[in-house]
Amino acid sequence: MRVQIQPNPEGPDTRSPGSTSSKYWSRGDSIWTRLSDKLFDIYSDLDSGSDSARAILQSSEHKPRKFSFATYKSFFAALPTSARVVVQSPEIILFAALQWITVVLGYLAWTHGLQLIPDEVWNAVDDAITAAKAQHDRPTLICCKTIIGKGAPTKAGTAEAHGAALGEREIAATRTALEWPHPPFSIPQAIYDAWSAKTRGHADDLEWSARFARYAAAYPDLAAEFNRRIQGRLPETFAAAAAQFVRAQAQKAETLATRKASQQAIEAFARLLPEMIGGSADLTGSVFTNWSGSVVNTASQAGNYVNYGVREFAMAAIANGLALHGGFIPYTGTFLTFSDYMRNAVRMAALMKLRSLFVFTHDSIGLGEDGPTHQSIEHAATLRLIPQLDVWRPCDTVESAVAWRHALERRDGPTALLFTRQNVAFAKREPAALAGIERGGYVLADAGDAGALRAVVIATGSEVPIALGARELLAQEGVGVRVVSMPCTQLFDRQDAAWRSSVLPRGLPRLAVEAGATDGWRKYVGAVDDPHAGVVGIDRFGESAPAGVLFKHFGFTSEAVAAALKRIIAAS
């Protein structure tokens, strides 16, 4: 678990009666030091206790730096049952220690920093939520002690209430136990009325609409801009400006790491789209998700950039929330390997068809000396398996610009943008090829003067220049090879059959090249036992060495790709 703790700017916690804490937690204090202090304060407020529990805590109080999870477990075991409910988990106490307002529903008491509410108050949860919404300077944690399948005579509190239907007899007995006479799927009117927000919602909507009409009359331009952003429409000038930026990138023909090309795209597009709000998981200096107009959002300053800390899942979840709210286009940044931490949120963005943009850099063994823990192997392939998620792995500044443009223009789902740490040679292309990028896969270079087309090589990202180099080597031998760049397989798959067959003609041997897992490429080249098909990839973990050394070691060279092409051509 990676946790960042900030010092308490207000000094010691004095929110509850009976507080014994007089400490000011400094930046150097450990999590367990804070937990030790909080446990001692809580225990001091409890009437029921034991000498052994008190001795454990007092010993910890004398040596707070020595407090550990083992100490916590010993303390918990020494408590009487009636007192354990207050300190039932270290996480609850830790939130209170970190100055959260912490509400535990189910017990009537007040302890240091913890509000405990009896479970017989049927609207306790609603009251707790209402109180939490009224807080503007601190977050609130609401804890509920529940029983799964409550009311079921023989299955309440068991796994059977979770993994299987109760059954007719148990349902009938549960109805009796809960005094619930209503038929299935029928909501009693009293409950319906208590939950219904139709009347209040209608009144709120009328009031808001009238207020916005007055605002629009006074500030028509701002009102129009607000409507544009909330509706998710891009400015009418965006398409032309984005096309101009793509052409400019093509003219500059720079050799850059594609993470830097991504930053150039952010710089260009964020100027056009003030609704873009970015951030990274403590890696801004590596993933380049900031731009010259980035302003960090803080408690005292509104901004368009969030320093999320090492919280990849929270970062992605917050981005999804911004996208759901509307009016914003959120984008986040971290290393591709750390997409594992974000996966549930990325999947939910796809399921909900959100315009969330996920920037993942350091996308292969090409990141170098950080080694196999950071070198992505399976990550691009597994992201491509998520329905409704577009995954782009561009090969240069131009494809990076198009990838960003497409991600921003797309309104029916999220996009993952995969970029390199290392420099990638610029790929020269004809105007037709430039237009083809928007199709997800296109002919970057054909056989040309080498003669009849003998094979097709498909590549992405940093392996495109390698494929182009193999094409040149074989051209010198009179062997014609087509290079297809496929930065987005999902977009290519959505093209009509005519386009797909024009890019990947039937009957020709095919080879795919990507510094990652190989299985996903088989649907484009052929089965593993097909002698006319091949994949140059990596199905093992990497090593720690410079990128150039690793690419040569694992066979990502033009010479190795040319040899692989010769093998599948010879088999035809």
Side-chain angles (χ1 to χ4, degrees):
M1 180 177 69
R2 298 175 297 171
V3 177
Q4 290 185 334
I5 296 177
Q6 299 298 324
N8 176 14
E10 304 299 329
D13 184 355
T14 58
R15 287 173 291 149
S16 64
S19 172
T20 61
S21 176
S22 61
K23 298 178 179 61
Y24 180 89
W25 289 318
S26 68
R27 188 179 296 272
D29 284 336
S30 71
I31 296 172
W32 287 108
T33 299
R34 295 187 179 199
L35 182 54
S36 173
D37 293 340
K38 181 59 66 174
L39 281 172
F40 190 82
D41 290 331
I42 291 170
Y43 187 80
S44 299
D45 289 339
L46 294 174
D47 291 333
S48 57
S50 68
D51 292 338
S52 57
R54 187 180 300 278
I56 291 170
L57 265 188
Q58 286 177 335
S59 174
S60 171
E61 178 71 5
H62 294 150
K63 298 178 181 179
R65 306 294 175 180
K66 302 298 184 181
F67 192 80
S68 66
F69 187 68
T71 305
Y72 171 80
K73 289 196 296 183
S74 299
F75 163 72
F76 183 84
L79 281 176
T81 302
S82 60
R84 290 184 186 182
V85 297
V86 179
V87 288
Q88 56 189 312
S89 74
E91 292 82 5
I92 293 176
I93 311 305
L94 180 57
F95 275 101
L98 296 178
Q99 307 302 307
W100 283 54
I101 297 171
T102 310
V103 180
V104 181
L105 303 179
Y107 307 98
L108 182 59
W110 173 278
T111 67
H112 187 79
L114 292 173
Q115 301 173 47
L116 305 172
I117 302 174
D119 55 7
E120 62 266 21
V121 181
W122 68 271
N123 59 346
V125 174
D126 186 59
D127 290 343
I129 293 173
T130 300
K133 289 180 177 179
Q135 287 291 333
H136 301 292
D137 60 343
R138 285 175 297 175
T140 298
L141 176 69
I142 301 173
C143 306
C144 303
K145 187 174 179 64
T146 62
I147 298 173
I148 191 169
K150 182 176 181 179
T154 66
K155 297 185 179 181
T158 70
E160 291 181 82
H162 180 269
L166 292 178
E168 292 185 9
R169 294 180 62 182
E170 187 77 2
I171 289 175
T174 302
R175 286 177 170 278
T176 301
L178 296 177
E179 299 180 356
W180 186 263
H182 309 286
F185 305 107
S186 175
I187 301 175
Q189 192 62 43
I191 295 176
Y192 185 92
D193 292 341
W195 281 87
S196 175
K198 287 183 178 180
T199 301
R200 188 187 71 221
H202 180 63
D204 288 347
D205 182 64
L206 290 176
E207 192 276 333
W208 188 92
S209 298
R211 215 159 19 108
F212 187 73
R214 294 192 298 272
Y215 176 82
Y219 308 102
D221 292 342
L222 290 176
E225 177 68 4
F226 175 84
N227 279 329
R228 180 191 70 76
R229 297 191 199 181
I230 287 295
Q231 293 167 9
R233 293 182 289 107
L234 301 185
E236 293 181 358
T237 58
F238 178 80
Q244 176 56 39
F245 174 68
V246 172
R247 289 193 294 270
Q249 292 295 80
Q251 291 172 0
K252 286 194 293 185
E254 291 180 294
T255 289
L256 295 172
T258 55
R259 62 172 174 159
K260 186 64 179 177
S262 167
Q263 187 178 44
Q264 290 181 346
I266 295 172
E267 181 78 30
F269 295 143
R271 294 177 182 276
L272 305 173
L273 302 174
E275 59 264 42
M276 288 177 64
I277 180 166
S280 83
D282 203 33
L283 286 169
T284 297
S286 296
V287 299
F288 297 161
T289 42
N290 60 334
W291 62 290
S292 62
S294 291
V295 177
V296 176
N297 191 76
T298 66
S300 59
Q301 174 181 263
N304 59 3
Y305 197 85
V306 181
N307 288 332
Y308 289 100
V310 281
R311 301 178 182 93
E312 282 86 357
F313 173 74
M315 174 177 69
I318 290 169
N320 289 348
L322 288 168
L324 279 168
H325 177 277
F328 298 100
I329 300 178
Y331 67 94
T332 63
T334 189
F335 291 177
L336 179 55
T337 300
F338 300 154
S339 64
D340 285 341
Y341 302 134
M342 300 168 58
R343 192 169 186 87
N344 287 345
V346 172
R347 187 175 185 271
M348 289 303 298
L351 191 153
M352 293 186 285
K353 301 181 180 180
L354 301 180
R355 188 193 272 169
S356 295
L357 280 60
F358 305 109
V359 174
F360 297 119
T361 69
H362 297 59
D363 67 349
S364 73
I365 58 172
L367 69 86
E369 288 86 344
D370 278 351
T373 58
H374 286 54
Q375 292 166 356
S376 295
I377 301 296
E378 76 282 11
H379 296 81
T382 57
L383 286 173
R384 289 179 181 130
L385 293 175
I386 298 177
Q388 297 170 183
L389 174 69
D390 278 0
V391 181
W392 285 79
R393 188 169 184 254
C395 74
D396 63 3
T397 56
V398 173
E399 285 192 359
S400 297
V402 174
W404 264 101
R405 180 177 71 182
H406 189 274
L408 291 166
E409 291 176 338
R410 187 182 183 211
R411 299 174 62 178
D412 61 351
T415 302
L417 300 161
L418 281 51
F419 300 111
T420 67
R421 176 181 186 260
Q422 74 277 20
N423 284 350
V424 182
F426 179 80
K428 295 181 180 180
R429 51 179 65 78
E430 298 296 325
L434 184 63
I437 299 173
E438 297 186 13
R439 302 266 199 147
Y442 64 101
V443 178
L444 176 60
D446 223 334
D449 298 332
L453 185 59
R454 301 289 303 280
V456 176
V457 56
I458 308 166
T460 76
S462 51
E463 290 70 71
V464 169
I466 295 172
L468 290 170
R471 169 184 173 273
E472 293 299 319
L473 291 174
L474 293 180
Q476 294 172 12
E477 301 178 20
V479 178
V481 171
R482 169 180 290 182
V483 175
V484 170
S485 178
M486 195 174 289
C488 183
T489 59
Q490 296 83 4
L491 186 55
F492 179 76
D493 291 348
R494 292 198 294 269
Q495 303 305 306
D496 57 48
W499 176 265
R500 296 197 304 270
S501 62
S502 71
V503 174
L504 300 176
R506 294 180 182 274
L508 285 174
R510 299 177 186 175
L511 179 77
V513 185
E514 185 175 64
T518 62
D519 282 358
W521 290 107
R522 286 293 170 182
K523 75 173 184 178
Y524 298 105
V525 299
V528 68
D529 56 355
D530 184 348
H532 310 111
V535 182
V536 176
I538 177 170
D539 288 315
R540 52 150 290 185
F541 293 114
E543 301 287 350
S544 178
V549 174
L550 291 171
F551 268 60
K552 184 176 181 179
H553 174 76
F554 288 109
F556 295 104
T557 65
S558 295
E559 291 77 12
V561 172
L565 283 166
K566 285 182 178 180
R567 286 195 296 273
I568 63 174
I569 291 172
S572 62

